[in-house]
Amino acid sequence: MSFPNPPKAIKLVLLGEAAVGKSSLVLRFVSNDFQENKEPTIGAAFLTQKCTIGDKTIKYEIWDTAGQERFASLAPMYYRNAQAALVVYDITKPASFLKARHWVKELHEQASKDIIIALVGNKYDLVEDSNDELRKVSVEEGKKLAEEEDLLFFETSAKTSFNVNEVFIGIGSKIPDNSPVTETRPENGARIDLSSQPAQKSNSSCC
Amino acid sequence: MLPRLTVSTQAVTNYTAGLPENDLSIQTTVSNSDLSDLAFNGVAKVNNTHFQSLDIFPKDNSSEDEYLDKFVYPGKDLNNNQFNDKLKQFFILSSSGKPIYSLNGGDELIIGFTGLITTIISSFQHQLNEDIVVIDSGDVKISVLNRDPLILVSISKINYEMSMNQITNDYQQLKNQLHSLYNYLLCILSRPTITKSFQNRMNYDLRKMLTDVDFKNLDDMAMKLTYGLSGDSDNDDSFEFFLSQLVNGFPTSKISYTIRSKLNSLLLHHRIDEILFGLLTSNLRRIITMIKPKVHNISNSDIDFLLRIIKNNNKNIKDIETEDLWIPICLPEFNSNGFVYVYVKTFDLAKILVIDGKYYEDSQLINIVLISTNKNNFFKVKEMANKIIENIIQLELKDKLYQELSNYTINLPPTINHFVYRDLKHKDLKQCLISNNPKDCNSIIKYVYYYSNLYNSKSSTIQSLTQESGNRKLSYIKYDVITFSIIDDNYEFYAIGSGELSDLISDGLKVVKWIKSNDKRFFGNVVKFNF
């Protein structure tokens, strides 16, 4: 008789412009629910949800961050330790796609090297009924960015739940099984400490 | 069975005879063994006067709804006449005159005003080296709060805002309103952020930093502080907000002393070093318990903004239990130069109570609000909150706590329609007890009018009630109802009632006595620790 493996914790952060549907994607994933006119997030909200992919169980520890510009300086605090990130944009708002590009760039420069990033074009329900004039960011544009930057790519609708679980399953499948489970613990520095990793390495080589 | 109250008429006679001989305490015989609410038999006489027939606002023959739409409720898309009809205006602008916020009207309409205002302000500054505070033109008052790089202005044509507070000799209400709007901006942005934004460019547009929700919140506050009405249709706590701001007391809840002490010690026991303030609240509205350092204080206004901002972020009951919030907020009166980090976890007490195999139907939300000085210790704070919740789940008295929180009604004597009692004894947190709030616009507006006049004129009609304790003061104003206040060193009691003044006073004192005998259930819910 085999025991199921203990759930593997994955720290995931959502980034993207205000009102693209970050909180709604999380709400759909965590509670299978949807709310029209959801209030914007202030600061950040922390949620957890378990997800079974094949024979492994993943416990997502999700940081749903505020999209407003005034909170942008806090983002490093949330992506610093993250193993995965969803960069979300609204497929009816070109500016939000531009912002998504910036987030991808920032993550590549500042976040952990092996972070898995999914690019998510949300609000698919708005263009679903052959209502193509609302769509302002084409599938090709999204795909192209994803290929260039080595990202997973999805178009989703938190409203209809289209493709939402697939995003999380997609990320879960890409996380290597043997990657060390990092403890959820706070760091001391108030800023991102770029020197911390090399310092740790040199420490261990000393011993 | 409701306990019955018997009252001696001695006090009444004393009062009408002039000065009472002894202390004006009324003998009450209360067969009240189970410590439940003091109950009064009889229903408060409903007062049917409509606010439009009182001398509050200009006369107009339209229906209540039309009247409110025309004169009171804010509108952004107005023409010049519609704009001028509004009885109250609020503007926030930058020192260079750029509009940031207006309760009514769009940019094009108000740009003329903002230009005029900045001109007047700067000419005062240059010629007299003084900040202009109030421009008084009889039935219109313009108040200004200059907080460089921001200017806040209100224009009022409302009767009850015209009179000066006779104790502070100031247009206290108008001043407080502007301070509140300013503090809201500080809360979400902090002072350095605002200053820095304008440092390089005088014509910076601060609206870039604000969201639709912020403007909605400003509208909502402006409406509540002026009329006691909500910006949208939900008047649930709008009057309570007005009144608690007027008397500067945070609304309290009634919880038995045993439970309060238990919860207090839970908070203290699990407190980690970085936690500066910790609160348990019900529905983000009433404080159940609070812990604070001996050396630091948090003001009513800061708590109020804090809870209000969390609440606005958090309106949907369904999903709040799954979330742990981590919100940077500036507490302007604590320290306007930086942010604290606020952890919020909400849980439903109903879901942890099982009676006869069933859950309670009505949810009763409890919020754990922990204010940390370190933005990086979310997980430590979360652990602390989890321990507190675990302990509450194990608490034997949680059933009683649920009952106490959900049965929050105060029975009134037949003569008294409404009261607010402000506690002055406990210094750590200024709190007040407000009887059940009116919900309809007509009653709210009338009560706002009555209480404003009563509060502002409280020293005008003082009669010493006793010779011994000469510091107990009574004021009253007669309309078709009577509004009166009784004030001594330990409390301020304001009430609206109808009937004979002497009956009102004796009933008022009964309420006061009842509140005092329940002092530990209403007040003193703050525990201090060494920080």
Side-chain angles (χ1 to χ4, degrees):
Chain A
M1 185 181 164
S2 68
F3 291 99
N5 295 324
K8 181 180 162 59
I10 294 182
K11 285 189 279 295
L12 180 144
V13 61
L14 282 97
L15 299 165
E17 203 182 55
V20 295
K22 295 180 293 300
S23 300
S24 293
L25 284 169
V26 177
L27 183 62
R28 176 60 75 191
F29 177 58
V30 172
S31 309
N32 195 21
D33 197 0
F34 180 77
Q35 284 155 5
E36 297 279 355
N37 306 317
K38 209 171 176 332
E39 291 82 18
T41 307
I42 308 176
F46 181 80
L47 304 94
T48 59
Q49 171 73 322
K50 279 181 191 152
C51 173
T52 309
I53 304 166
D55 58 351
K56 68 175 174 183
T57 307
I58 288 170
K59 186 188 173 201
Y60 279 108
E61 299 177 349
I62 304 167
W63 273 116
D64 175 21
T65 67
Q68 266 90 41
E69 205 50 48
R70 68 172 194 251
F71 297 109
S73 61
L74 297 172
M77 182 162 99
Y78 304 112
Y79 66 62
R80 187 171 48 204
N81 293 324
Q83 292 132 290
L86 300 191
V87 175
V88 187
Y89 65 94
D90 175 347
I91 56 175
T92 69
K93 298 235 164 63
S96 71
F97 187 64
L98 197 66
K99 185 79 207 171
R101 277 183 192 276
H102 289 144
W103 278 122
V104 171
K105 189 165 172 272
E106 181 167 336
L107 285 172
H108 279 326
E109 285 167 3
Q110 313 266 21
S112 140
K113 285 254 174 319
D114 41 9
I115 188 168
I116 290 163
I117 305 172
L119 180 68
V120 179
N122 193 35
K123 306 202 183 174
Y124 183 75
D125 53 284
L126 293 177
V127 303
E128 210 170 12
D129 308 322
S130 65
N131 208 347
D132 255 3
E133 71 265 29
L134 277 177
R135 182 190 273 278
K136 295 281 150 53
V137 184
S138 69
V139 188
E140 291 71 31
E141 278 177 278
K143 272 189 184 151
K144 186 163 168 272
L145 176 62
E147 275 163 25
E148 283 167 8
E149 300 283 342
D150 192 23
L151 321 169
L152 298 169
F153 175 68
F154 300 89
E155 285 197 345
T156 61
S157 164
K159 189 172 181 175
T160 65
S161 87
F162 168 71
N163 242 355
V164 175
N165 283 340
E166 282 74 4
V167 176
F168 291 89
I169 292 169
I171 284 182
S173 330
K174 247 196 127 179
I175 297 267
D177 281 338
N178 52 0
S179 79
V181 180
T182 30
E183 285 280 305
T184 50
R185 70 187 143 77
E187 301 218 339
N188 292 324
R191 296 169 151 269
I192 355 153
D193 191 358
L194 292 171
S195 65
S196 72
Q197 276 192 336
Q200 271 168 9
K201 269 177 197 162
S202 60
N203 267 350
S204 58
S205 63
C206 278
C207 302
Chain B
M1 207 193 91
L2 297 171
R4 184 177 273 273
L5 190 83
T6 329
V7 187
S8 78
T9 53
Q10 192 192 359
V12 178
T13 332
N14 282 345
Y15 176 75
T16 45
L19 293 173
E21 285 132 28
N22 297 315
D23 183 75
L24 201 109
S25 66
I26 299 163
Q27 293 165 16
T28 54
T29 321
V30 186
S31 56
N32 184 0
S33 53
D34 62 354
L35 298 171
S36 67
D37 267 350
L38 175 71
F40 294 91
N41 288 336
V43 183
K45 210 169 102 189
V46 180
N47 177 260
N48 288 322
T49 321
H50 196 266
F51 77 84
Q52 281 169 272
S53 66
L54 294 167
D55 188 26
I56 310 179
F57 301 142
K59 294 274 179 281
D60 191 274
N61 289 329
S62 43
S63 71
E64 182 183 304
D65 287 347
E66 284 167 7
Y67 191 97
L68 292 174
D69 277 340
K70 186 173 174 190
F71 294 108
V72 173
Y73 284 130
K76 306 293 172 190
D77 189 20
L78 303 175
N79 65 34
N80 212 20
N81 287 339
Q82 291 169 320
F83 179 79
N84 287 328
D85 275 339
K86 301 294 177 194
L87 301 171
K88 190 69 177 278
Q89 308 286 357
F90 281 103
F91 307 113
I92 304 176
L93 44 133
S94 71
S95 295
S96 63
K98 202 171 187 114
I100 295 165
Y101 165 78
S102 170
L103 178 62
N104 295 299
D107 272 8
E108 284 142 41
L109 212 97
I110 65 163
I111 201 92
F113 281 94
T114 60
L116 190 62
I117 289 161
T118 42
T119 311
I120 298 173
I121 289 174
S122 55
S123 66
F124 260 77
Q125 276 178 328
H126 287 144
Q127 287 168 22
L128 302 166
N129 209 13
E130 244 178 79
D131 268 346
I132 184 168
V133 180
V134 172
I135 303 172
D136 187 347
S137 76
D139 47 2
V140 178
K141 281 204 176 46
I142 303 172
S143 333
V144 180
L145 178 68
N146 191 358
R147 285 284 181 273
D148 191 48
L150 301 181
I151 298 170
L152 297 96
V153 183
S154 75
I155 304 175
S156 175
K157 297 188 238 174
I158 298 168
N159 168 306
Y160 56 79
E161 292 186 331
M162 291 295 120
S163 53
M164 208 177 240
N165 186 301
Q166 298 186 4
I167 286 180
T168 55
N169 262 338
D170 206 345
Y171 295 102
Q172 201 69 47
Q173 237 169 311
L174 294 171
K175 222 169 137 180
N176 290 350
Q177 291 167 354
L178 294 181
H179 274 283
S180 290
L181 296 189
Y182 178 61
N183 277 352
Y184 177 80
L185 292 181
L186 288 181
C187 247
I188 51 170
L189 297 174
S190 84
R191 198 201 304 274
T193 311
I194 296 176
T195 318
K196 258 184 247 154
S197 308
F198 288 97
Q199 228 156 39
N200 299 324
R201 274 182 305 156
M202 281 287 283
N203 67 342
Y204 179 79
D205 189 354
L206 195 70
R207 285 180 291 199
K208 281 187 207 157
M209 297 251 216
L210 302 169
T211 64
D212 288 349
V213 178
D214 296 321
F215 292 111
K216 236 176 81 190
N217 286 343
L218 287 169
D219 280 355
D220 194 55
M221 281 177 54
M223 287 298 288
K224 283 176 179 167
L225 291 167
T226 305
Y227 303 103
L229 298 172
S230 159
D232 49 51
S233 54
D234 179 20
N235 284 329
D236 191 32
D237 67 340
S238 55
F239 177 71
E240 188 173 281
F241 180 60
F242 169 86
L243 203 52
S244 64
Q245 292 281 322
L246 183 73
V247 303
N248 188 20
F250 204 85
T252 182
S253 56
K254 180 167 179 266
I255 289 169
S256 69
Y257 181 68
T258 329
I259 296 181
R260 249 197 233 286
S261 330
K262 276 256 162 60
L263 295 173
N264 271 334
S265 51
L266 270 184
L267 280 183
L268 270 188
H269 178 74
H270 294 299
R271 190 186 80 86
I272 53 171
D273 280 348
E274 293 92 336
I275 296 300
L276 198 54
F277 302 103
L279 297 103
L280 283 185
T281 65
S282 95
N283 261 326
L284 292 169
R285 199 162 138 188
R286 290 174 207 277
I287 297 173
I288 300 170
T289 66
M290 179 173 127
I291 56 169
K292 72 170 211 65
K294 279 187 181 138
V295 289
H296 295 298
N297 282 314
I298 183 167
S299 71
N300 277 23
S301 138
D302 282 354
I303 297 176
D304 201 88
F305 279 118
L306 173 74
L307 298 184
R308 213 154 270 280
I309 288 171
I310 304 168
K311 196 164 186 168
N312 282 331
N313 186 29
N314 214 307
K315 279 183 187 143
N316 298 295
I317 292 177
K318 244 180 163 176
D319 54 313
I320 53 176
E321 283 179 77
T322 57
E323 300 180 335
D324 301 62
L325 303 178
W326 190 238
I327 302 173
I329 259 185
C330 168
L331 301 174
E333 299 195 348
F334 177 69
N335 176 2
S336 61
N337 287 321
F339 287 94
V340 291
Y341 290 80
V342 183
Y343 171 92
V344 188
K345 177 79 182 176
T346 299
F347 69 98
D348 188 352
L349 199 54
K351 289 195 182 147
I352 58 172
L353 291 172
V354 187
I355 303 294
D356 302 332
K358 280 185 193 158
Y359 289 110
Y360 281 102
E361 271 179 23
D362 298 326
S363 61
Q364 183 60 59
L365 299 181
I366 307 250
N367 326 92
I368 302 180
V369 180
L370 303 171
I371 300 171
S372 166
T373 50
N374 179 350
K375 71 172 172 183
N376 290 310
N377 69 354
F378 169 82
F379 288 100
K380 265 159 83 188
V381 182
K382 179 176 157 65
E383 207 178 306
M384 168 182 168
N386 285 343
K387 283 181 191 156
I388 293 169
I389 295 178
E390 273 168 34
N391 279 263
I392 292 176
I393 291 173
Q394 288 157 11
L395 207 65
E396 275 174 31
L397 294 163
K398 58 181 186 278
D399 191 43
K400 193 161 177 222
L401 178 63
Y402 178 87
Q403 304 290 356
E404 284 179 331
L405 291 175
S406 45
N407 298 330
Y408 183 79
T409 49
I410 293 166
N411 294 308
L412 294 168
T415 52
I416 291 181
N417 299 332
H418 192 272
F419 76 81
V420 51
Y421 175 100
R422 195 209 164 186
D423 168 69
L424 301 174
K425 219 169 86 190
H426 305 89
K427 310 284 185 206
D428 294 318
L429 183 66
K430 293 167 186 148
Q431 288 196 290
C432 69
L433 176 67
I434 301 176
S435 71
N436 301 345
N437 290 310
K439 298 268 196 294
D440 64 292
C441 296
N442 181 36
S443 308
I444 289 176
I445 290 175
K446 280 194 306 183
Y447 283 17
V448 164
Y449 168 66
Y450 294 143
Y451 277 122
S452 300
N453 286 346
L454 182 65
Y455 190 80
N456 287 324
S457 67
K458 60 184 172 185
S459 68
S460 62
T461 51
I462 290 179
Q463 293 185 16
S464 180
L465 284 174
T466 64
Q467 284 166 321
E468 282 172 16
S469 53
N471 48 7
R472 190 188 277 176
K473 295 170 189 166
L474 167 74
S475 312
Y476 63 89
I477 304 174
K478 279 187 177 176
Y479 308 88
D480 55 328
V481 295
I482 295 175
T483 65
F484 66 102
S485 66
I486 305 168
I487 295 169
D488 82 2
D489 295 343
N490 291 325
Y491 67 87
E492 294 174 0
F493 178 81
Y494 306 90
I496 299 169
S498 31
E500 289 297 315
L501 180 63
S502 51
D503 295 342
L504 283 175
I505 292 165
S506 74
D507 279 351
L509 285 166
K510 266 184 275 171
V511 174
V512 169
K513 193 169 182 190
W514 170 72
I515 295 170
K516 281 183 153 179
S517 68
N518 281 284
D519 184 74
K520 281 186 170 171
R521 295 191 183 89
F522 287 122
F523 307 108
N525 45 358
V526 179
V527 180
K528 290 179 270 189
F529 57 83
N530 288 316
F531 191 61

